[in-house]
Amino acid sequence: MTASGRPPNQLLQMLDAADLDRLRPHLATVEMVRQSVLGAAGAALRHAYFPHGGSISILVSLSEGQTIEVATLGRDSVVGGGAALADGIAPTDAVVLFPGTASALEAATFRKIAAASPSFRNLMVRHEQVLLAHAQQSLLCNTLHSVEARLARWLLRARDLSDGASLPLTQEALAQMMGVRRNAISMVAHALQRAGIIRYTRGQIEIVDLPALKATSCDCYSAVKASHSRLLGARQ
């Protein structure tokens, strides 16, 4: 809990007292274990999750087995909120990338509270607009921008959701999420390391020069942050 007595999730912190009182008896704090699946595409969603920390990859899978990440969610988000508001079926996979804790709310209860509270429902709809903007920007970025710019953008987002500049990541995981070959990630990571922007050891990436990493990233990073600020008015 934060000093205000609210869970450390930005959306929960934005709720008015009445809405938080509606939710509080139904929230359960859970551990999000790395690689655990919070929602599987096409399956019934049991819970929505308000992360306190860590991060979750929202992944789209192809029939051939490839996957690509369309958004990274964390303490500024809710996982499964859109599905809980609709038919309760997860449209994508949600897989824990960095471990942490979250407030879990049963999907049926989420839907009942949204039906009873226009302000809660409005906040969740605005969050879904942010998520759509994130996914659209990812599509644009993956189509038009270099692997170097895309990797820099991804690392910046991961840093926003973490509590430090060191990220437990493998090149294989990055390649899978970005939809590129592992050797492409390897080449770019080595170039960024030679430039003194990151420090890479197996399974760990440390951001050394944040301003240089921002300069390397495309404008998609700032565009997504601007959408978040405009629609939700929360700092990241």
Side-chain angles (χ1 to χ4, degrees), residues 98 151-162 164-169 192-193 196-200 204-214 221:
F98 302 146
L151 178 58
R153 173 202 171 210
W154 195 94
L155 291 175
L156 289 169
R157 172 62 175 163
R159 182 186 181 278
D160 285 344
L161 298 178
S162 69
S166 186
L167 306 170
L169 287 165
L192 293 177
Q193 183 162 254
I197 298 174
I198 66 170
R199 183 178 298 115
Y200 180 77
Q204 201 80 17
I205 293 178
E206 181 183 357
I207 298 171
V208 177
D209 190 337
L210 182 59
L213 187 65
K214 289 182 177 180
Y221 170 69

